[in-house]
Amino acid sequence: MPRYEVTIEKDACDGIFACLTRDPRFVEGDDGLATVDPDADPVYDCEGEVTDTTERVVATFDDDRIEEAKQAAAACPTDAIIVEEVGE
């Protein structure tokens, strides 16, 4: 399974939330912008590490759901989401 990072650049996020309809791990954060919550998926029990700073959210996953994350990134009209495979 690929290890990958999902990065949300908060300056670019407008809170449109098109990503939420593509991947249930994307949720609305307390600041009104998109964030990632591995526990938000009602179907899959997934684990991930999430770092949330004032500039960005970075979530790292090691599962087979990279395509869902890529679909969420593609749906973002402001290109605030980047999904990329990373090494161990």
Side-chain angles (χ1 to χ4, degrees):
M1 286 185 276
R3 183 171 175 81
Y4 59 97
E5 283 185 351
V6 177
T7 303
I8 303 171
E9 295 293 341
K10 289 185 178 182
D11 285 348
C13 180
D14 280 344
I16 298 167
F17 303 120
C19 55
L20 277 65
T21 64
R22 304 301 194 284
D23 187 332
R25 297 173 291 181
F26 287 83
V27 297
E28 182 177 354
D30 293 337
D31 56 4
L33 301 176
T35 190
V36 179
D37 180 357
D39 296 326
D41 192 324
V43 177
Y44 296 102
D45 182 25
C46 76
E47 295 181 14
E49 299 173 21
V50 179
T51 303
D52 191 340
T53 68
T54 56
E55 293 87 27
R56 68 187 51 85
V57 176
V58 179
T60 306
F61 295 98
D62 189 5
D63 58 33
D64 60 353
R65 298 179 64 201
I66 189 170
E67 286 307 314
E68 288 177 53
K70 286 181 177 181
Q71 288 176 7
C76 179
T78 61
D79 295 327
I81 304 169
I82 301 164
V83 178
E84 56 190 1
E85 286 191 44
V86 293
E88 295 292 325

